[in-house]
Amino acid sequence: MKVLMVSWEYPPISVGGLASHVNDLSTVLVEEGVEIHLVTQGGEEADRYEQEEGVNVYRVNKPEISTPDFLTWVMLVNFNLLEVANSLLDEYEFNLIHTHDWLVGFTGKSLKYSHHLPLVATIHATESGRNNGIYNSHQKYINDVEWLIGYEAWRLICCSQYMKEEIHGLFQTPKDKIDVINNGVDLDTFDDVEVPMDFKEKYTNGNLIFFIGRIVREKGVQVLLEAAPKILSATPDTQFVIAGKGPMLDELKSQVYNFGIADNVTFTGYISEEEKERLYQVADVAVFPSLYEPFGIVALEAMASKTPVVVSGVGGLDEIIEDGRDGLKALPGNANSLAEKIIKLLTDQDYANSLQKTGYRKAVEDYSWQGIARKTKEVYQQVLDEYQSSSWKNEGLIPKI
Ligand code: NHF
């Protein structure tokens, strides 16, 4: 089976969970015998072509000219992706196309029709979910592209039951066209991490609370900082380490300054993979207080690092964590509830240890990438079988002359 995969994010370009999802998924699909050719951007920063763990990666350059806005930029990226993807499809025989999210939606649709191949699309998050509704024409455009992807795809994949409901509710995509396949975690990466003796001291000699993610409203860091004064009065020797970058960063820096807790909060900005893996190891609690979360790979990363987690009970996080068994769940957007759960873990080591142990076991047993690759391959197979016997297979776009 030969698949042409398209994603706008792939390491070293990593904006959120999508990059690590596509990276891990492609690698395990190759192990399952699927040939993967991945077209992405980033040709300026990394090799234009390389074979990484069996995955053929083609990186195109960003648009050559400056663009007036983000949507125009995305469209030009799609044209550059199309150039390479079209050449690959002309040169080799592929079975299907698999795209990730709206940003590469038009590439998927164009390839589907010009090469007459079935399209599988994964929707990782929606514009409506990210913004808690659609409020302007820019958001409406993205929302419509997401609808179009759902319409054009032979099958849609999403990462949680929550997302299946959301996609069906927003776009009326038939439920039997949507497959839920969870995200996973690469256990080897987080299990055996070498941490220098004095690593934690770089940040604190006391408790370390760790958050990592894009610094945007939906990830809820503002709720964690709102909870910080209460946490600090119960456990004063605590440092909050907030890793990631995003448009809310300056606002959050003013928030901690105004609260008088600036000395207890470290904003690291973007961190390397190695720093991330070490921080998970030394953290006393990892906190993911999202207001919207399609899945939440970060919770699995913490569990795989044997660190107890506190999440808000939304979306995929709500499905991953069983409160009081493998982590703790706070009320979404509620700083008091979040503070209470974090304080519980910082002040009851035995309880924290027992949650962390069950959490680790769950990551190992339920979220291995091998299982996810097998399910994805089954979706591919179903699509290929249906495609083979469909009339669409032989229909041309232009009349015979
Ligand atoms: O884990 C990869 C990621 C998810 O919840 C995450 C998100 C975007 O917001 O599927 O996609």
Side-chain angles (χ1 to χ4, degrees):
M1 202 187 285
K2 201 172 183 140
V3 173
L4 187 99
M5 182 103 68
V6 191
S7 168
W8 87 302
E9 231 189 279
Y10 192 81
I13 294 186
S14 177
V15 179
L18 207 149
S20 68
H21 168 100
V22 179
N23 190 6
D24 290 338
L25 176 68
S26 314
T27 312
V28 285
L29 279 171
V30 168
E31 284 166 18
E32 287 287 312
V34 181
E35 192 176 322
I36 300 285
H37 293 255
L38 178 106
V39 186
T40 186
Q41 44 150 353
E44 305 87 346
E45 289 134 74
D47 290 343
R48 301 219 355 122
Y49 169 78
E50 66 181 325
Q51 219 194 34
E52 278 173 359
E53 300 180 88
V55 182
N56 298 283
V57 184
Y58 307 81
R59 294 188 179 88
V60 307
N61 283 343
K62 293 200 180 97
E64 298 73 11
I65 52 172
S66 61
T67 46
D69 53 48
F70 181 58
L71 295 183
T72 314
W73 181 85
V74 171
M75 195 56 91
L76 292 195
V77 170
N78 272 262
F79 275 103
N80 286 0
L81 293 169
L82 270 172
E83 284 170 11
V84 173
N86 270 322
S87 310
L88 285 168
L89 288 160
D90 286 343
E91 190 76 17
Y92 308 108
E93 250 186 52
F94 282 87
N95 298 99
L96 56 84
I97 301 145
H98 185 171
T99 59
H100 295 265
D101 266 3
W102 73 273
L103 290 116
V104 298
F106 283 107
T107 299
K109 176 183 177 297
S110 292
L111 294 175
K112 166 185 166 180
Y113 286 110
S114 46
H115 297 273
H116 230 74
L117 285 173
L119 171 68
V120 172
T122 300
I123 301 259
H124 291 266
T126 67
E127 185 68 1
S128 171
R130 277 189 291 266
N131 297 293
N132 202 18
I134 296 294
Y135 301 102
N136 56 42
S137 56
H138 180 108
Q139 292 168 354
K140 180 171 184 306
Y141 169 83
I142 297 173
N143 183 73
D144 289 354
V145 178
E146 288 165 352
W147 166 80
L148 186 64
I149 294 167
Y151 179 77
E152 294 292 352
W154 204 289
R155 293 202 70 74
L156 265 193
I157 298 176
C158 64
C159 54
S160 58
Q161 284 298 335
Y162 171 85
M163 283 306 290
K164 180 172 179 166
E165 293 301 327
E166 182 178 288
I167 290 168
H168 172 70
L170 283 171
F171 311 123
Q172 287 76 55
T173 314
K175 283 195 182 171
D176 61 6
K177 186 178 171 174
I178 309 175
D179 295 296
V180 176
I181 305 180
N182 288 333
N183 277 312
V185 61
D186 179 12
L187 294 162
D188 295 341
T189 307
F190 296 96
D191 215 358
D192 215 4
V193 180
E194 254 185 61
V195 186
M197 285 281 281
D198 54 355
F199 178 77
K200 191 176 181 184
E201 282 166 33
K202 222 168 69 170
Y203 293 95
T204 178
N205 290 316
N207 301 313
L208 194 153
I209 295 181
F210 183 44
F211 165 90
I212 182 163
R214 277 178 304 124
I215 311 293
V216 288
R217 188 202 60 88
E218 83 218 45
K219 298 294 174 190
V221 191
Q222 66 282 12
V223 185
L224 175 59
L225 296 179
E226 219 184 293
K230 189 167 176 178
I231 299 167
L232 286 168
S233 44
T235 52
D237 201 5
T238 296
Q239 192 70 19
F240 296 81
V241 178
I242 312 291
K245 55 181 191 176
M248 259 195 106
L249 197 55
D250 286 342
E251 192 182 324
L252 295 182
K253 284 183 179 165
S254 329
Q255 190 184 346
V256 300
Y257 183 77
N258 292 337
F259 283 181
I261 55 168
D263 287 347
N264 293 85
V265 183
T266 310
F267 291 102
T268 65
Y270 188 79
I271 54 172
S272 67
E273 287 297 304
E274 185 183 65
E275 191 78 359
K276 173 179 91 172
E277 288 152 23
R278 290 175 173 175
L279 273 163
Y280 274 128
Q281 291 292 327
V282 299
D284 295 277
V285 186
V287 183
F288 303 109
S290 306
L291 304 176
Y292 171 72
E293 196 63 76
F295 184 79
I297 296 180
V298 279
L300 290 186
E301 292 179 346
M303 288 153 82
S305 309
K306 305 193 172 100
T307 297
V309 288
V310 177
V311 302
S312 53
V314 291
L317 292 173
D318 198 30
E319 292 170 31
I320 299 170
I321 299 295
E322 196 181 323
D323 190 37
R325 218 184 96 77
D326 36 49
L328 290 182
K329 249 192 271 193
L331 296 171
N334 187 321
N336 268 329
S337 160
L338 191 65
E340 214 175 272
K341 303 281 176 177
I342 295 172
I343 293 167
K344 173 80 183 145
L345 290 186
L346 291 179
T347 53
D348 188 344
Q349 196 54 50
D350 289 345
Y351 186 55
N353 283 344
S354 89
L355 293 190
Q356 161 260 301
K357 281 201 186 98
T358 346
Y360 176 73
R361 256 206 322 278
K362 189 178 222 177
V364 173
E365 284 163 14
D366 299 354
Y367 292 99
S368 86
W369 271 106
Q370 279 66 27
I372 294 158
R374 267 196 302 280
K375 285 186 200 150
T376 308
K377 210 175 149 189
E378 277 164 29
V379 173
Y380 290 169
Q381 196 55 57
Q382 178 185 350
V383 170
L384 291 185
D385 292 346
E386 289 173 6
Y387 169 69
Q388 288 307 336
S389 54
S390 75
S391 58
W392 185 79
K393 182 170 179 264
N394 301 313
E395 266 169 32
L397 260 192
I398 44 172
K400 292 249 173 333
I401 43 170

